[in-house]
Amino acid sequence: MHAGRGPDADLFCRVIDNFGDAGVCWRLARALATDHGWRIRLWIDAPEALARIKPGGWDEGGIEVRQWTTLPADIEPAACVIEAFACELPRSYIDAMAARPQPPRWFNLEYLSAEDWVEGCHGLASRDPATGLAKHFFFPGFTPRTGGLLRERDLFARRDAWRGDGALQQATFARLGMQPDPGALQLSLFSYESPAIATLLDALAAGSRPAQLWVPEGRALAAIEALYGRALRPGEAYRRGALELRPLRFMDQDDYDALLWHADLNIVRGEDSFVRAQWAARPLLWHIYRQQDDAHLVKLDAFLDRLCADLDPAPAQALRAAHAAWNRDLPLSPGGWQALFLALPALQKHAEAWATCLARQPDLASQLVSFNQTPI
């Protein structure tokens, strides 16, 4: 950020769900900076989480990363203030917002949901009782009456260029220590712990087709290590039947995107990897973040209802059964997994159409910029 020039937006992030909150906020900051020329001051309470997904550093134009512990007493709020996921701004900062001659536009970036009620709440405002400042609720979503999904303007061009360029692919594989077998089914696994992991491994090992399962370091790999009873090292191959299990070191966001572009099936979690898997235009299983009273299952079903609306009954049933196993701790038989694998060609075609349809809606950063410019 240039000296003497203040930020266009303050973006506040508290890390709750491992790396997902940091991942969403970084992608939003980068989209606002790169696609819209905004100068972003990203306040994050756990910069070490951001460092895991940006191991090369975050020295990118237009973004200043600041550790959010206590804010400077003389801080000047930006013209736009975004609190991610109801992270609650300090009262001193809100008072500083109110003291500006022109109060900032204040947004609460909500979690992504496919539920119908989101359309009615997107863009609504509430008043801070102490200052009277308006805070607008900004809901990502899957329909034109929501805030859309995070997507850089050049994302599809970069994805398609990577898929069409063997040199780019080999450079990625070399960085990640990957040696893909072109004849094997390719799967990526970045989920939370689930009993379904064991049944997936069994089904792949017993399958008639060779399979490579790429597992970045994290909770899913730790769960597999518990099943194997030993540590599994990135770069090594662990074979059982038709399955070749390949642990990967934790990678930055761009390389993770490429892994999603490569795989025939992506098993993802949370929000950030979930959205990126949809832009990959590949079949996916979503391990949604668990909430009290099983509220997450309502969100999962709402998404599956939208995703499966135009799917034929057989692939839709196979996809729903696999999601149920992963998210409801239900057993999925080898036959259930095989039904999913057999459905992959139909699911691949559908994933391409789904991504194209979603991309017709303006992306989240563009909608936020547009909303920010609308008079109150």
Side-chain angles (χ1 to χ4, degrees):
M1 194 171 296
H2 298 293
R5 297 179 62 186
D8 295 296
D10 278 325
L11 172 56
F12 290 87
C13 174
R14 289 199 186 280
V15 177
I16 299 173
D17 177 18
N18 296 280
F19 309 102
D21 301 305
V24 169
C25 289
W26 177 258
R27 290 196 195 273
L28 175 59
R30 189 164 64 172
L32 290 171
T34 301
D35 292 345
H36 300 279
W38 279 26
R39 300 177 303 277
I40 308 299
R41 189 164 54 183
L42 173 57
W43 299 89
I44 183 167
D45 67 335
E48 64 274 11
L50 183 59
R52 290 296 305 279
I53 59 176
K54 293 293 298 178
W58 43 70
D59 185 18
E60 296 195 17
I63 305 175
E64 176 188 5
V65 177
R66 302 282 294 273
Q67 182 161 7
W68 179 15
T69 48
T70 58
L71 301 179
D74 60 348
I75 188 171
E76 177 71 17
C80 177
V81 176
I82 306 166
E83 59 178 47
F85 316 126
C87 60
E88 295 187 9
L89 301 181
R91 174 49 55 183
S92 60
Y93 184 87
I94 297 174
D95 292 340
M97 291 166 60
R100 282 180 54 113
Q102 179 66 38
R105 296 300 295 267
W106 183 6
F107 295 96
N108 177 19
L109 177 65
E110 293 283 354
Y111 286 105
L112 171 64
S113 177
E115 296 170 279
D116 291 337
W117 63 266
V118 167
E119 293 185 335
C121 294
H122 174 62
L124 294 183
S126 68
R127 294 282 175 180
D128 176 61
T131 63
L133 292 176
K135 175 167 62 174
H136 290 269
F137 295 92
F138 206 87
F139 283 85
F142 298 89
T143 68
R145 293 178 59 191
T146 67
L149 301 174
L150 270 173
R151 183 185 78 255
E152 309 90 86
R153 287 176 178 169
D154 67 344
L155 177 60
F156 282 15
R158 288 189 289 109
R159 180 198 67 191
D160 296 343
W162 187 91
R163 285 182 173 152
D165 190 327
L168 284 177
Q169 295 175 35
Q170 290 305 316
T172 300
F173 298 151
R175 276 196 307 275
L176 299 181
M178 294 176 61
Q179 296 177 324
D181 176 356
L185 180 67
Q186 302 289 310
L187 303 92
S188 80
L189 171 58
F190 186 65
S191 73
Y192 308 113
E193 303 86 350
S194 171
I197 292 177
T199 65
L200 171 65
L201 299 179
D202 290 343
L204 292 173
S208 58
R209 178 183 177 185
Q212 288 181 307
L213 179 64
W214 306 97
V215 190
E217 290 178 314
R219 292 169 64 173
L221 182 58
I224 294 174
E225 289 177 327
L227 292 171
Y228 277 54
R230 57 172 169 157
L232 304 178
R233 296 187 301 174
E236 298 291 330
Y238 301 88
R239 295 178 174 84
R240 177 162 67 96
L243 169 63
E244 182 181 279
L245 174 66
R246 298 295 299 260
L248 298 172
R249 60 173 174 79
F250 205 91
M251 65 194 71
D252 70 21
Q253 286 184 318
D254 292 335
D255 278 338
Y256 182 68
D257 281 345
L259 177 63
L260 296 173
W261 300 339
H262 166 72
D264 300 308
L265 173 66
N266 292 302
I267 304 171
V268 295
R269 74 188 200 193
E271 180 168 330
D272 182 50
S273 58
F274 169 53
V275 171
R276 302 309 281 195
Q278 292 174 79
W279 294 139
R282 293 287 198 240
L284 67 90
L285 289 179
W286 181 28
H287 198 181
I288 190 171
Y289 186 71
R290 188 180 294 271
Q291 295 178 300
Q292 291 183 343
D293 301 322
D294 288 340
H296 60 294
L297 297 179
V298 176
K299 294 181 179 181
L300 175 65
D301 288 340
F303 169 70
L304 290 176
D305 287 345
R306 294 189 185 279
L307 181 67
C308 296
D310 297 324
L311 260 176
D312 289 337
Q317 182 179 358
L319 190 64
R320 286 183 179 275
H323 274 91
W326 218 276
N327 289 278
R328 300 174 187 263
D329 295 338
L330 298 174
L332 187 65
S333 67
W337 283 115
Q338 291 306 318
L340 180 67
F341 301 151
L342 288 173
L344 285 179
L347 294 173
Q348 172 60 44
K349 183 178 179 180
H350 180 70
E352 293 170 359
W354 176 253
T356 300
C357 180
L358 291 179
R360 296 191 185 107
Q361 182 180 352
D363 67 275
L364 188 145
S366 296
Q367 291 204 51
L368 193 147
V369 169
S370 178
F371 196 109
N372 184 66
Q373 295 171 343
T374 303
I376 298 178

